[in-house]
């Protein structure tokens, strides 16, 4: 198995999760909850999101086939989508959009459902993360490799869960400046990965050697 592929997959998924930025939003979502309640919300949200992403890792390519969409075309489209998300991260637009989504959910849904919506969907397993997983799955052909990708998703979800559990401490440690710097750095990394997706998609779609 290619270790570089697994490292690339882990970095891509972690960047899509954006743990530092999501930790701050998580604090807003769980305002007024006890530490035990926050842990329950974090656990349920990350498990639900990981399950959703695992399903797309397994069946995403088949779904594209049913729709008549080639993997090369999806790589190009997905790469462009990820680049837009990276652009939002670098210029602090994504965090603002996620906060607005979270605020709408709090006013409409009961607090017990916050872990599923909007935490699991769409803040963790959103369109960007789902697209990234389907793109990554295209590089994992063998069943063992695909199982390894699901393992990577689980590990990334565990890292995110750890960030959510200590969200209050992280927010105090990083502050607004530190969180902004880290989110922008993650955005630059995601931009580079998204360009690589587009390049690979063009090669695959047009059979460029």
């Amino acid at each position: 198995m290619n270790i570089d592929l697994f490292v690339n997959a882990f970095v891509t998924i972690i960047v899509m999760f954006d743990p530092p930025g999501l930790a701050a939003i998580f604090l807003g979502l769980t305002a007024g909850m006890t530490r035990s309640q926050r842990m329950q919300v974090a656990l349920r949200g990350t498990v639900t999101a990981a399950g959703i992403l695992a399903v797309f890792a397994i069946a995403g390519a088949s779904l594209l086939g049913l729709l008549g969409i080639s993997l090369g075309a999806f790589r190009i489209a997905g790469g462009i989508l990820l680049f837009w998300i990276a652009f939002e991260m670098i210029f602090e637009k994504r965090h603002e959009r996620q906060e607005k989504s979270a605020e709408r959910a709090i006013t409409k849904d009961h607090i017990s459902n916050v872990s599923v919506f909007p935490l699991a969907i769409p803040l963790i397993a959103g369109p960007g993360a789902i697209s990234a997983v389907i793109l990554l799955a295209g590089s994992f052909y063998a069943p063992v490799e695909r199982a390894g990708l699901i393992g990577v998703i689980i590990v990334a979800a565990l890292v995110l869960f750890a960030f959510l559990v200590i969200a209050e401490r992280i927010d105090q440690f990083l502050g607004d400046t530190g969180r902004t710097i880290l989110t922008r750095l993650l955005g630059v990394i995601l931009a580079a990965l998204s360009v690589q997706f587009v390049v690979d998609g063009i090669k695959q779609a047009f059979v460029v050697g």
Side-chain angles (χ1 to χ4, degrees), residues 14-104:
I14 280 292
V15 170
M16 289 306 308
F17 284 169
D18 185 18
L22 191 58
I25 297 173
F26 177 73
L27 288 177
L29 280 174
T30 57
M33 291 187 185
T34 64
R35 179 173 177 78
S36 175
Q37 290 171 330
R38 278 179 171 169
M39 287 190 65
Q40 291 177 17
V41 171
L43 179 61
R44 185 178 178 187
T46 51
V47 168
T48 301
I52 292 170
L53 294 179
V55 169
F56 277 98
I58 296 171
S62 299
L63 177 61
L64 292 180
L66 290 174
L67 296 175
I69 301 172
S70 70
L71 186 58
F74 192 82
R75 283 181 184 275
I76 296 172
I80 294 172
L81 172 62
L82 295 181
F83 186 85
W84 177 253
I85 293 175
F87 178 86
E88 289 186 326
M89 290 175 70
I90 294 170
F91 293 99
E92 297 184 307
K93 298 294 184 181
R94 189 183 186 211
H95 190 265
E96 178 182 339
R97 174 167 53 81
Q98 287 179 323
E99 282 185 330
K100 289 180 179 178
S101 176
E103 288 172 1
R104 285 196 296 269

Side-chain angles (χ1 to χ4, degrees), residues 132-157:
V133 166
I134 295 177
L135 289 172
L136 291 168
S139 301
F140 295 81
Y141 302 104
V144 174
E145 291 179 336
R146 196 62 62 86
L149 176 59
I150 294 175
V152 169
I153 293 172
I154 293 172
V155 172

Side-chain angles (χ1 to χ4, degrees), residues 1-2 17-18 27-28 56 86 91 111 114 129 146 155 164 175-176 180 192 194 204:
M1 293 192 297
N2 192 333
F17 284 169
D18 185 18
L27 288 177
F56 277 98
F91 293 99
I111 196 69
V114 166
R146 196 62 62 86
V155 172
L164 297 183
D176 292 337
T180 298
S194 65
Q204 188 170 1

